[in-house]
Every structure is written in structure tokens, then in C-alpha cells.
Amino acid sequence: MKRLYAGVIGAMAAFSAVCYGQNAPESPQDYLRGVELSAQGGSPWYQVPLPEAVYQQSAWADLRDIRVFNQQGESLPFALETTVPPAPAPQTAPLTLYKLESQPLQQKDEEGNRAVLLKTPEGVEIRLASQRDETLSGTWLIPLGEGEAGSALKQLRFSWPRQREGWQARVDIYSSEGLRHWQPEISDAPLMDLTSGDNRLLLDKLDFDAGLALSGAKYLLVIVKNASAPLDFTAVSGEWQTAHLQPARIALPAQGEKTAEDTAVYRWARPQPLDALTLRPAQENAVMPVEIEYRSDEKAPWRPLARTVIYRLPDSPAVSVPLQGEPIAAVRVKAINQRLGDTLVEVTGERDEKTLIFNAQGNGPFLLAWGNGAATPQTLALQALIPAKANKAASLDALPYAQTGKQVELGGEARLTAKDPAAQRNQLQTWLIWGVLVAGAAGLLLLAWRLWREVNAGKAV
């Protein structure tokens, strides 16, 4: 019995030691593999887009098992941000100006506001209400056309003949979709061209604060008020900015397997939270109606995703099916009234690319590590990693890039199925409880056997 008690006490001691050991700091060997990061310069923060291997080999779809270590093996604070490509340079193009004739109207509306009638040289009339008694020095109409999808007019720049005495005025700008209803865009903005000796003060630009989307506005009305001298615009140009709202995407090709003459199943190594799925036939000049299904893991039932037509034609992009970031382990593609042939449809998953921003403490080279089933989330918000008071230029554009180096093997494949410390403690505790119960049962059996022997020995005497 003494040995039994000693075994139980030893097991409890081992349990305590394991629990204590789980509180030890993480090390690179707790992760599947990693890649070296070289950070040149003395910046406190660096950024690096996550390599494709991180998405493919991470134990968690949400990338919680990402860490950055310095040369001393210390874990460093970091943030993850969705990668957004920089906006392209603004495009400038000339616009056409039409001078309008203005004629004040005597009647007022029900609210007592005055109105002015504007006429183009072609006879188009525009009636515009004015709430203030102001002198109109000139009015111009600027057609914008259809514009480009996703573009916005950010600025107008005017040209005029230079005058010896100079001039200044205030400008209102209205926008309209069909020359009937006008919306104010800019009010009381200054324009001026002043001279003092050899110095010139020129203000010839008007900015739209939030950008004027060309999808709605097709005309601009420029009203110059209270000009200090007669003027006439000779030209105007517009500056457009294309908005990049879509984040950069990382392409993750799927491995296909033909399961029937018209059906193939495509898988990723681990479920991926995809934002889009692109498909295209392998054969040139092919048009193929398909039915697409998906499932979140290998044991889940197939669910319908889309019924569409995919192409592989000159100047025709691959068909993209939008998704909502739901984890997808496999997709099944079935050709409708066709055979797949010997070469399968190309299927690629896309997910928003992530950029890692880390604090470069200690010595380099640094190590980006991933692949640990026992990892818990450690990501900080970018505003917490880079406080505004410490660095006002906290945008990604202002941070230097770290360079990726060779990939290194760390803890091996077993780290992908490792359990978090709490789960390990619960599992070990369960084992110990069962061990104590089994040991207790064995002790009772041993005690019963000894009593049986003693009784039998008494009978023999």
C-alpha cells in the first residue's frame, strides 16, 4: 500500500511540474518552421508581407500561430494589417468650358429667394436659385462626361489672362446629373491673382474635399461672385484619383483530383478563409458551364456555392466567385453536359494578403515563425504597437521593409497538432484522475486478495 501511495504522490508531483512548465516562455522550437528577416537601419518598426507558406502551413486559419523572435529567442510584439496597394498617381486631363449668359429673374420663390436664368450659346437654359444678393461676375458650364468607374474628381485648376492690377473673387460650384437639379459642392472658395512688386500670389485651384464621384455628376456649374476686376477663364483642367478599395490578394492554388468524367474535387492542405475563388478551363478557347460546391472540412456535407460559366479565351480573365471569408477545405466542380477531359479545370483560392509589422527589439536576424496548434492569439492593434505620440507617421507607407531570407525548419510537423497549455493540463488531469481510480481499484483488489489468503491460512491450521 505504501508503494501505491508513493505512486499517486509522484503522479501529482509530475502533474504540478508539467503545469509549471507550461508557463515557460515560447521559443522558436515550439513552431513548425520559419523564415529569417533582415532589418536594415535603426527603425523601431518594420513591415513585411506574409510569405505564401505562412497561409498554406499555418495550423490556424486566422493565423493566430504567428510569432516573431529575435536572435536571443525572445518573442517580439507585432501587428497584422490587411495589405492595401498604394493609390496610383492622380491623372490630369483638360476640360471644356462653356461661358453662360446670366439674366436675373424678378420673381421670387415662396421662401423669398431670388433666382437667375443661365443660358448656354446653344440655348440651353438653367434656372438657379440664390439666397443672397451677390454680384455674378461670370458663370461657366463644365461637362464631365461619364468618367471612369472608381474614379473621383479631386481638383479643378483654372487659367486666365494675367492682369496688371490683379484680381480676386469668390467661387461657388454646383454639380448635376441632368442639368435640372443642382447640388452645391463648393461654396465661397477664393480664387486670386495678386501682384506686389516682383511677387505674385496665385490661387488657381479648387479642391473637392471628399472627391466628386463621376458616377453621378456629369456637369459642373462654376459661378464667380464679386470679382474685383473683369475676368475670363481661358482653360480648366481636372485631376482625378482612382480609389483602391480592394485589398491585395494572395493566390493559393488548389490540388485537383478527378472523381468522375465530369467531376473533380480540389483541396488545400488546410481549410482557408477564402475571399474569392477563380476558375478557368485548361483548354484554350474553352467555354464550360459548371456547378460548384464546397465544404468547410473533410467530414462536412457538400453545399452549393455557384452555378456559372467559366472561360479560357483571349483577353478574357478567369471567372471569380466572391466569397465571405468562410473556411473552405475543398470544392467540387462538375461540368454541365460536358466532360472535363484529361486536364482539369484550374482552381485558385484567394484571400486578403496580410502585412506583418513588428517591433525590432534586440539583435537580428529576426525570425518569423508559424505552425503551432497550441498557440494563442498574440496580435496587437497597429495603433497599440505604434502609438501616435511616439510616431505620427504610423501608416504602412512610412515604415521600412524587412527582407525575407532562407526558410528554416524548427519544431517539425508534430507542432501542428500540439495542444494549448489549458487543454494539456485538462487532458493530463483527466489521465491522473483515471490513474488514481485505477490505482485505488487495484489497491482494493490487493487488499481483498490478502484477506482471502489470511482466511484460507486460518482454515488450514
Side-chain angles (χ1 to χ4, degrees), residues 125-169:
E125 295 185 350
I126 301 172
R127 188 179 186 277
L128 188 68
S130 176
Q131 296 183 2
R132 293 174 292 182
D133 293 329
E134 295 173 314
T135 301
L136 293 185
S137 304
T139 55
W140 288 264
L141 181 67
I142 303 177
L144 294 177
E146 296 297 330
E148 298 181 3
S151 296
L153 182 64
K154 304 290 289 185
Q155 185 184 88
L156 291 177
R157 184 170 186 171
F158 296 89
S159 299
W160 53 77
R162 187 171 181 178
Q163 301 185 28
R164 179 179 301 178
E165 301 297 330
W167 64 271
Q168 56 183 327

Side-chain angles (χ1 to χ4, degrees), residues 21-31 64-69 72-76 78 369 372-378 415 420-421:
Q22 295 299 337
N23 294 325
E26 291 182 322
S27 71
Q29 292 302 317
D30 293 326
Y31 292 81
R64 72 181 64 179
D65 56 328
I66 290 179
R67 297 292 186 271
V68 182
F69 298 94
Q72 292 73 38
E74 298 169 334
S75 181
L76 303 180
F78 66 93
N372 184 359
T376 55
Q378 298 290 334
R415 297 308 307 167
D420 66 87

Side-chain angles (χ1 to χ4, degrees), residues 104-131:
L105 299 178
Q106 298 300 323
Q107 68 272 22
K108 299 181 180 181
D109 59 20
E110 297 178 354
E111 299 179 357
N113 297 324
R114 296 182 180 276
V116 61
L117 184 64
L118 307 175
K119 293 183 180 181
T120 67
E122 289 76 16
V124 177
E125 295 185 350
I126 301 172
R127 188 179 186 277
L128 188 68
S130 176
Q131 296 183 2

